[in-house]
Amino acid sequence: MSTSVDVVDFEIGGTRYALDIVMAREIVEMVPLTPVPRAPGFIAGIINLRGEITNIINLNSLLQIPDQKEMAEKKIIVLVPEVAGGSNLGIIVDDVRSVLQVAEEDVEGMDESFCQEAYIKGIIRERAGETGGGSSTGLIIWIDMAKVLQNLVGAGA
């Protein structure tokens, strides 16, 4: 029997990505952001989310993907504080598609040297009939969000 994992399937710049569901606390609609002076370019700003100040990261900037969607139409995936070293942190994505259950055999590993730079855990091959329509390639890039955040902390962010 193969094991499976649940991931949040989201979109940035027309490409599908995923992150481990255990890292996501909630998904919220885009709200106005308060800019943070002299913050790195990938810090979009901060929001007050039910009384908690939450730092918002623009994943497009961080992953160097061109913005294709109006900011007001985007979503924020709020991460569980444990993932971000106890901080309240959210990431901006173009759209959240669904939660997928992915079987181990549907994940293709990546060359280690490539993964190091690209923050990729693997490539998920979507099974026939699971694609949400549109121009989907059936491939979903599984982001290693823990590694992304570790590198941010290491970079002094």
Side-chain angles (χ1 to χ4, degrees):
M1 189 172 117
S2 72
T3 58
S4 65
V5 65
D6 289 340
V7 297
V8 178
D9 175 12
F10 61 93
E11 208 170 291
I12 300 177
T15 301
R16 290 174 66 192
Y17 295 89
L19 64 86
D20 303 61
I21 189 114
V22 295
M23 294 184 161
R25 186 172 87 184
E26 63 184 306
I27 295 154
V28 296
E29 297 292 325
M30 181 53 72
V31 294
L33 302 171
T34 301
V36 178
R38 297 182 50 85
F42 58 82
I43 302 282
I46 56 176
I47 62 172
N48 182 348
L49 186 62
R50 289 184 297 286
E52 295 180 337
I53 300 303
T54 303
N55 299 300
I56 305 298
I57 290 177
N58 187 336
L59 213 48
N60 287 68
S61 299
L62 194 59
L63 301 178
Q64 299 172 350
I65 301 167
D67 252 325
Q68 294 182 341
K69 201 168 184 183
E70 288 297 316
M71 190 62 90
E73 298 172 14
K74 296 185 179 216
K75 304 269 189 290
I76 299 172
I77 301 174
V78 181
L79 304 177
V80 295
E82 295 76 31
V83 174
S87 300
N88 293 318
L89 188 69
I91 56 173
I92 297 173
V93 300
D94 289 352
D95 199 11
V96 176
R97 296 174 59 111
S98 64
V99 172
L100 295 176
Q101 194 169 52
V102 179
E104 208 172 69
E105 63 264 19
D106 292 333
V107 178
E108 184 75 32
M110 295 289 293
D111 177 80
E112 187 58 39
S113 61
F114 182 72
C115 291
Q116 204 67 33
E117 276 301 304
Y119 305 125
I120 296 175
K121 256 185 155 171
I123 305 297
I124 299 169
R125 286 185 305 275
E126 201 170 33
R127 292 175 183 249
E130 285 183 358
T131 57
S135 60
S136 178
T137 61
L139 298 177
I140 303 167
I141 299 172
W142 191 359
I143 300 282
D144 189 340
M145 193 54 67
K147 190 183 288 182
V148 169
L149 297 175
Q150 279 175 337
N151 280 10
L152 289 184
V153 171

